[in-house]
Amino acid sequence: MTETTYDSVAYPTMIFPHAHPDRMALMARIHGLDAAPVETARVLEIGGGDGANVIAMAAAYPDGRFLNFDLAASAVARGQALLKEAGLTNVRVEVGDILDAAESLTETFDYIIVHGVYAWVPEPVREAIWKIIGRCLAAEGVAYISYNALPGGHVRKLLRDMILRHVEGLPDAERTAAAREFLTAYAAPRDDDRPLQTGLRGEAANMLDKPPEVLYHDELGPCFEPQSLTDMAQAAGHHGMQYLNEAHPGLLADGFISEAGDSTKVRDIVAAVQRRDDDIVRFFRHSLFVRAEAKPERRLDPARIMSSHVSARCTRDGQKFTSKDGEFVISNEGLAEILDKLSASWPRRFRIDELTDQEPYAHALFRLFDFGLTQLHGGPAPFSDTPGDRPKVSALARAMIRQGYPMMYTLDHRTQNITEDEPRAFVLGLDGRSDVVDLKAGWTSEALSFEAAMTMVVESGLLQP
Ligand SMILES: C[S@@+](CC[C@H](N)C(=O)[O-])C[C@H]1O[C@@H](n2cnc3c(N)ncnc32)[C@H](O)[C@@H]1O
């Protein structure tokens, strides 16, 4: 195997709720499509590094089948060590080249994920990604591709050109530090800055927030080819696919016609969304695609939201609700009561039609999801919210602690940092063999109460059902 730049500088792979089949199923069903149940889905991730994303899914859905392949053998070896330690047998993490897979991969998948790869690979590899999707996606399947979008990508390219000039000729090991030095100087405001310079300096400051390894790959890598949604929709069309919608909150209305819109043609929807991207200078997209023969509903009908699941964690002060994503005034008392119930039950998921028979509330919960106050899910929770007599934390979380990871991937696909010794030891001990009464009797920590430790475990979605 040839060593890649991702072997010499490891990329910190992360897990993403928006790059999860649960989100893809949710969005497809809201469009009236018959997406495969996540519990038994066949899922492929392309270029998923160490496979963290699919490994976390595999721990939560033992009846699902997961495959990730990536060119970087060292990342793959890391993922293989973790899944072996966790005893997961429903996930494969393999070394593989997208170009080869485009010729040889013949399995069928319900969901295909390509996160953070597309805009960083040359055109033949991008073409090969579409070839895999075109051949391997099931008839009712959904594909997810995230990419640096245009026109914002032009701004990133502009800065990248400056950085690359600055680091030209330096040994590889010195490039990231030199790039940071350049960005630090560039980001500092000048007295005579005009709005254009202020914007560019702000973007340079954003780049400085990235971990050095991410900066090394994302900004200094050999290839950076941002794509417009128009480009993506066209490429999809060439491979028998069509644009569906977005997977990330904030843009979940993109695949539906606006209230004033009168065309349900995907070409017109893409054109309208592209105009908005141009207007606000969009930087990134997480787009979903389905087969060209699929007939997604393009008008948002709240009736199709009713069978989704919902959870929420917010605090209330009168009509003001606060979540980690912002503050919201909810003047409708019925909706406020639903949010109270969800928050009091966090992290429990409720089917929306079990909470209410009112479609306008379902619509509101979807809008609030798009704004970040609620979370909508395609299916029921893959974790338990009650410890039971013999609480058992997911085998993956315990394996991560044993392997010295500073965080755990939860069963509802979040990353929970856990660095202190006592909670780490507590989580490790929750292996389903010890009785909760004995665990409490043996509790010695003064810094942390037993109840607080157990609440952390429950609220983190770590408990095996
Ligand atoms: C920016 S990283 C993203 C990793 C991961 N998907 C994430 O978002 O955290 C890009 C990944 O694409 C992989 N990659 C690039 N070219 C590839 C190819 N031709 N075949 C397979 N993987 C490739 C790299 O090895 C690297 O792991």
Side-chain angles (χ1 to χ4, degrees):
M1 274 296 148
T2 335
E3 191 178 91
T4 74
T5 54
Y6 289 94
D7 292 300
S8 36
V9 177
Y11 196 83
T13 337
M14 288 185 282
I15 65 170
F16 306 99
H18 45 270
H20 191 291
D22 180 79
R23 180 69 53 81
M24 297 155 81
L26 171 81
M27 293 308 294
R29 288 180 197 144
I30 293 179
H31 277 277
L33 300 175
D34 196 12
V38 177
E39 292 79 0
T40 51
R42 300 159 294 177
V43 180
L44 168 68
E45 178 148 2
I46 299 174
D50 60 16
N53 208 31
V54 285
I55 292 173
M57 291 168 198
Y61 297 98
D63 295 328
R65 291 289 169 268
F66 302 85
L67 167 64
N68 168 64
F69 71 84
D70 193 288
L71 206 49
S74 55
V76 166
R78 209 167 47 238
Q80 285 174 342
L82 178 59
L83 69 88
K84 189 165 171 224
E85 178 75 29
L88 296 170
T89 53
N90 58 337
V91 55
R92 289 178 286 151
V93 175
E94 298 176 351
V95 177
D97 188 331
I98 293 165
L99 290 170
D100 295 338
E103 303 306 321
S104 59
L105 191 63
T106 52
E107 288 172 59
T108 301
F109 298 93
D110 302 301
Y111 299 98
I112 298 182
I113 299 160
V114 196
H115 181 81
V117 178
Y118 197 88
W120 280 278
V121 289
E123 202 277 332
V125 182
R126 295 200 295 274
E127 177 69 12
I129 289 172
W130 281 115
K131 217 167 152 186
I132 297 170
I133 293 172
R135 190 174 60 240
C136 298
L137 192 69
E140 305 280 359
V142 186
Y144 161 109
I145 305 180
S146 71
Y147 50 96
N148 268 88
L150 291 175
H154 286 306
V155 178
R156 288 268 298 265
K157 260 190 131 160
L158 200 153
L159 284 164
R160 174 182 150 90
D161 285 351
M162 296 185 209
I163 300 171
L164 289 179
R165 269 198 299 279
H166 185 79
V167 305
E168 199 181 346
L170 290 178
D172 199 48
E174 292 172 24
R175 282 159 59 92
T176 309
R180 287 187 58 80
E181 190 189 5
F182 168 80
L183 286 168
T184 305
Y186 192 85
R190 322 286 198 258
D191 289 342
D192 55 352
D193 274 349
R194 284 169 285 124
L196 177 62
Q197 282 99 2
T198 304
L200 286 173
R201 297 198 203 294
E203 199 41 41
N206 288 344
M207 286 181 176
L208 275 170
D209 283 343
K210 294 183 174 196
E213 314 80 52
V214 175
L215 189 74
Y216 173 86
H217 290 291
D218 288 9
E219 312 306 337
L220 306 175
C223 179
F224 182 62
E225 295 292 341
Q227 308 288 313
S228 67
L229 176 63
T230 311
D231 297 334
M232 295 299 285
Q234 260 171 18
H238 292 149
H239 292 272
M241 305 289 298
Q242 64 174 310
Y243 176 64
L244 179 69
N245 203 330
E246 294 298 301
H248 199 289
L251 298 177
L252 301 180
D254 280 7
F256 294 107
I257 58 164
S258 63
E259 311 228 318
D262 56 4
S263 170
T264 57
K265 287 206 180 84
V266 67
R267 195 188 52 221
D268 297 336
I269 288 171
V270 166
V273 175
Q274 184 66 59
R275 280 195 294 277
R276 288 203 294 279
D277 279 6
D278 292 345
D279 195 43
I280 66 137
V281 192
R282 170 89 49 220
F283 275 80
F284 208 84
R285 283 200 161 271
H286 311 79
S287 301
L288 301 176
F289 301 89
V290 291
R291 291 215 167 270
E293 307 79 54
K295 301 248 177 296
E297 298 285 349
R298 295 293 185 178
R299 287 175 204 279
L300 179 57
D301 178 353
R304 292 194 299 268
I305 304 172
M306 295 296 280
S307 61
S308 310
H309 289 67
V310 63
S311 59
R313 179 179 226 182
C314 42
T315 53
R316 181 179 185 178
D317 178 9
Q319 292 188 335
K320 193 173 86 185
F321 284 77
T322 307
S323 80
K324 66 176 178 42
D325 290 317
E327 283 182 7
F328 305 80
V329 171
I330 306 289
S331 53
N332 181 296
E333 193 45 37
L335 184 59
E337 279 172 18
I338 292 176
L339 293 172
D340 282 342
K341 179 169 177 171
L342 293 173
S343 295
S345 318
W346 170 263
R348 184 172 297 180
R349 296 179 189 180
F350 292 84
R351 244 181 89 116
I352 294 180
D353 54 12
E354 286 169 2
L355 285 172
T356 177
D357 58 4
Q358 306 285 310
E359 289 177 2
Y361 284 152
H363 192 191
L365 290 169
F366 178 70
R367 295 284 310 279
L368 288 173
F369 174 44
D370 207 9
F371 289 133
L373 186 62
T374 62
Q375 287 168 25
L376 256 59
H377 314 274
F383 59 88
S384 167
D385 55 24
T386 44
D389 293 340
R390 293 176 189 274
K392 186 174 183 183
V393 156
S394 93
L396 175 61
R398 286 180 286 124
M400 292 178 82
I401 291 184
R402 283 197 299 277
Q403 291 206 328
Y405 281 72
M407 75 292 197
M408 301 172 291
Y409 302 140
T410 71
L411 293 170
D412 64 343
H413 220 65
R414 286 179 284 144
T415 300
Q416 172 76 38
N417 289 325
I418 174 159
T419 49
E420 287 168 15
D421 290 345
E422 280 179 342
R424 285 175 78 86
F426 178 61
V427 168
L428 209 47
L430 297 181
D431 57 5
R433 285 183 298 193
S434 305
D435 191 283
V436 75
V437 178
D438 297 338
L439 285 166
K440 190 170 179 180
W443 189 255
T444 53
S445 170
E446 287 175 9
L448 184 71
S449 74
F450 178 80
E451 286 72 21
M454 191 56 91
T455 301
M456 181 277 287
V457 167
V458 172
E459 291 193 342
S460 300
L462 285 167
L463 286 176
Q464 207 76 60

